[in-house]
Amino acid sequence: MEIASFARLGYEGEIIKVEADLRRGIPAIDIVGLPDGAVKEARERMRAAIRNSGLDFPKERILINLCPADLKKEGSSFDLPIALAVLASAEQADTSESSNTVMVLGELELSGRVRPVRGVLAAISRGIACGIKLFIVPEQNLAEAQLLHQGKVEGARTLVEAVEKYHQLCATQSMTETDTNEHINTKHPNEIIRWSKIQGGYEDVKGQEKLVRALEIAAAGGHHLIAYGPPGCGKTLSLSRFPSLLPNLDTGTAMTLTRIHSIAGILPPPAFDGSNPLLYKAPFREPHQNASLEGIIGGGKNCLPGEISLAHGGVLFLDEAAQFRSSVLQALRTPLETGTVTVSRAGRADTYPAQFQLLMAVNPCPCGNFGAAGRICTCTPDMVEKYWKRMTAPLLDRIDIRVALDSPEGKSLIQSQSGFNTTDLRKSIMKARLAQQKRGKVNARLDPEEIEKICHLSPSSQTLFSKSMEHARLSGRGGHALLKVARTIADLEEEPNIQDEHILEAIQFRKWNGFVPDFLST
């Protein structure tokens, strides 16, 4: 039986075949196949683990080959497959008649215990796609490995257990139909929309009715949003509580998100209460303004996912967006359109899912007082224009909802009654989400062809829309955004067709006001 492992390179990764050859000569261990330092050190960990586990270590000269040979192997997950390959070769097992392959993952301690590793879900997914049906993983990664419900997955806490599992799998040369065909259905067009417990709702947000209404529309239709106004007006407070308006992810999206987090090595510790380890809660990523291009988009030596992929199915929140590097902001344009990002490095390209919702909070100028009543702005017109040009018009044109804010009045802050009811907002959002679920896509992701079929306008609304396009000098993308937002507003009110009031409200959230320079007035 062949032994394989997995190299975490991008979203797909690579299957690595592990071979061991024992021959006469001075006892030594050689590893070939472009191993990095951690893989080279595996020979010492493997030797000590085998001896400390009470197993016989071969006294011959050992050659270990990791193929394909032109791919650099990195990480400690090759410890266990190398150890099993050496022991199997020492037993002189005849694998010529076996066509099965077992994928093995795990790091070894000197005591022989097996430590958990990263990227197990990605490895299992890649292995199943390549026809592998047998797997041995660390016991701590077993719940993650069994998420796909495909193949036969065994967990091992020690090297001795791994050897026993390997022998059991060798004795089982054929898989049953149940083992090979059982799988999880990741496409649920009628899957029930579920919500997480409210944590930090909008009950104590007061005096910003327009912003909360915009956030309700954004949550209902998956629209991108930018809020701009003077410091202290409530931008960050309101946008940071946006996760309370988002329903849980569907099973397919949760599976993809869990795989991405597994590759990044940031899955939460396994729970031992039998709960599902899938990440169903929509992610909310809030990177710092000093984040690098690789940190946001992804990359590095292993083409690891960036913030936009870690926010897949959820939200990427850029607070003080104008303070981010211009190259970082412009790199968001293509993922916003396609829902994916391609990371390239040294002749290798990997595509990650990146279907996120962008929220941005920004001051109207560097000092923050431009256009604010009762405040003095110390910025020159050139400074204000340079400040907004960091985000550029093409990026801002992709933002469906724009909200201008003023500082709330004192009365609204000291009133005794609460601001908004998060539960009521969720009920309203649920209506719109159910209508979009029947169509198979949220409104923000509608294609131009789908807009014509779904965004039905009444005769008066068609006239109003045409006049709005002409008066506001909207681009083609801007006109489509206007229709998609109006469609979401209609869904919130359970209206089959877009009415005049829906168009008018969508226009209010599309146009800029005097807080921004003239070059963004359209």
Side-chain angles (χ1 to χ4, degrees), residues 287-516:
H288 191 266
Q289 293 85 359
N290 288 333
S292 65
L293 184 61
E294 282 186 352
I296 299 294
I297 302 301
K301 60 181 182 179
N302 288 330
C303 290
L304 293 177
E307 290 290 336
I308 63 174
S309 295
L310 296 173
H312 177 71
V315 176
L316 179 70
F317 175 38
L318 303 184
D319 195 14
E320 301 295 342
Q323 302 300 327
F324 283 81
R325 294 181 176 89
S326 180
S327 59
V328 170
L329 295 174
Q330 301 318 307
L332 298 177
R333 287 156 58 175
T334 300
L336 286 175
E337 293 285 344
T338 63
T340 60
V341 59
T342 300
V343 180
S344 300
R345 175 179 171 83
R348 180 183 179 86
D350 290 281
T351 300
Y352 280 98
Q355 199 168 92
F356 61 95
Q357 188 173 354
L358 180 63
L359 300 184
M360 302 171 70
V362 63
N363 292 329
C365 68
C367 75
N369 295 328
F370 180 69
R375 299 188 183 185
I376 299 176
C377 176
T378 59
C379 304
T380 65
D382 289 341
M383 293 173 61
V384 177
E385 184 167 340
K386 183 179 180 181
Y387 178 79
W388 279 88
K389 277 187 174 180
R390 292 177 64 88
M391 293 176 284
T392 73
L395 173 63
L396 295 176
D397 193 45
R398 289 169 167 82
I399 308 299
D400 297 342
I401 300 177
R402 298 93 176 262
V403 187
L405 302 177
D406 290 317
S407 297
E409 298 180 357
K411 293 181 179 179
S412 63
L413 294 178
I414 62 175
Q415 59 186 357
S416 58
Q417 63 269 27
S418 60
F420 304 91
N421 190 309
T422 307
T423 302
D424 291 342
L425 292 173
R426 282 186 169 188
K427 292 179 181 178
S428 178
I429 293 169
M430 173 74 80
K431 298 176 184 177
R433 287 278 183 163
L434 288 174
Q436 295 167 69
Q437 188 183 64
K438 295 178 181 178
R439 305 184 196 120
K441 187 182 292 186
V442 294
N443 292 332
R445 293 289 174 183
L446 293 177
D447 298 328
E449 299 81 5
E450 295 170 328
I451 292 176
E452 296 181 3
K453 298 178 182 179
I454 295 175
C455 299
H456 303 292
L457 298 173
S458 62
S460 59
S461 298
Q462 292 180 2
T463 303
L464 179 60
F465 173 71
S466 300
K467 291 182 178 179
S468 300
M469 286 282 294
E470 181 179 355
H471 181 266
R473 294 180 292 170
L474 295 179
S475 64
R477 183 188 291 114
H480 284 161
L482 181 63
L483 288 175
K484 290 186 285 188
V485 172
R487 177 68 265 174
T488 300
I489 297 173
D491 289 338
L492 287 169
E493 299 180 3
E494 299 182 284
E495 290 285 349
N497 295 324
I498 298 175
Q499 305 298 329
D500 292 2
E501 58 270 22
H502 306 147
I503 293 288
L504 290 173
E505 185 174 7
I507 293 172
Q508 296 302 314
F509 287 121
R510 183 66 193 178
K511 66 181 183 179
W512 301 98
N513 71 356
F515 279 16
V516 296

